[in-house]
């Protein structure tokens, strides 16, 4: 499947409003590869996690402060990945994250990993909001929910702060 192209093209960095896609680049390091010199399949989960974390930051949500101030955490509830083409050492993999559904206590993401115009992997990830002490579902705090509805903001992108 090497070089397989997706019929849709990768969204560009300018289309990072809520629902249209948020891009985050990740360089492939030696530690990310397996004995065959390609990215170990489970590392796509790490790449997607980093992209979701940066998406939250770009929405103005600092997860550490969120936990300290509200007692809630975001945790992965479920994942499904599909691998299309391998990435290799020194590749720059651009992860694109889109919110498919924003609920009161969960967020469903569709994520893609691209190398230039080649789709490498796709994933659907459900992230749940939970009470940190009980590890039970909890509603996403209203201000955070509003920030997630707005999506990433250019002026918030470089700074990681809790929602005011």
């Amino acid at each position: 499947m090497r070089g397989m192209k997706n019929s849709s093209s990768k969204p560009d960095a300018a289309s990072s409003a809520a629902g249209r896609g948020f891009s985050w680049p990740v360089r492939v390091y030696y530690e990310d590869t397996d004995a065959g010199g390609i990215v170990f399949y489970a590392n796509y989960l790490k790449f997607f996690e980093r992209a979701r974390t940066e998406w939250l930051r770009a929405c103005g949500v600092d997860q550490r402060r969120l936990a300290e101030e509200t007692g809630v955490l975001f945790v992965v509830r479920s994942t499904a990945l599909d691998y299309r083409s391998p990435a290799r050492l020194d590749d720059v993999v651009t992860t694109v994250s889109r919110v498919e559904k924003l609920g009161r206590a969960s967020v469903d993401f569709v994520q893609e990993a691209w190398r230039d115009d080649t789709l490498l992997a796709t994933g659907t990830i459900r992230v749940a909001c939970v009470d940190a002490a009980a590890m039970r579902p909890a509603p996403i705090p209203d201000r955070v929910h509003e920030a997630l509805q707005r999506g990433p903001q250019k002026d918030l992108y470089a700074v990681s702060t809790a929602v005011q």
Side-chain angles (χ1 to χ4, degrees):
M1 298 180 124
R2 187 169 186 206
M4 182 173 145
K5 308 264 183 183
N6 185 333
S7 59
S8 65
S9 62
K10 176 181 70 169
D12 60 35
S15 66
S16 62
R20 285 186 278 160
F22 173 81
S23 297
W24 188 256
V26 177
R27 174 145 335 254
V28 174
Y29 296 124
Y30 186 76
E31 68 186 19
D32 298 321
T33 62
D34 62 15
I38 62 173
V39 170
F40 181 65
Y41 73 94
N43 286 332
Y44 286 97
L45 290 170
K46 292 180 182 182
F47 299 164
F48 289 164
E49 175 75 24
R50 292 175 197 164
R52 288 191 312 277
T53 298
E54 296 303 332
W55 179 84
L56 279 171
R57 284 189 177 126
C59 290
V61 178
D62 178 316
Q63 292 186 80
R64 182 179 45 179
R65 283 189 54 199
L66 179 65
E68 291 169 358
E69 294 172 5
T70 68
V72 299
L73 304 169
F74 286 111
V75 298
V76 172
R77 184 179 182 282
S78 64
T79 64
L81 273 68
D82 183 40
Y83 303 97
R84 305 288 183 99
S85 188
R88 292 182 168 76
L89 180 65
D90 288 331
D91 283 350
V92 174
V93 174
T94 301
T95 56
V96 179
S97 306
R98 285 184 297 281
V99 173
E100 186 172 81
K101 179 183 174 191
L102 176 60
R104 285 305 310 153
S106 65
V107 185
D108 292 352
F109 286 91
V110 172
Q111 294 187 272
E112 301 166 336
W114 292 84
R115 181 187 54 245
D116 300 320
D117 292 328
T118 301
L119 181 61
L120 305 173
T122 61
T124 56
I125 294 89
R126 174 168 284 175
V127 177
C129 185
V130 299
D131 177 280
M135 294 306 288
R136 303 287 302 162
I140 298 170
D142 289 339
R143 289 184 174 163
V144 174
H145 198 272
E146 291 166 10
L148 302 185
Q149 281 181 311
R150 273 192 315 271
Q153 305 295 305
K154 286 183 179 183
D155 57 334
L156 295 176
Y157 182 67
V159 180
S160 177
T161 60
V163 174
Q164 304 298 322

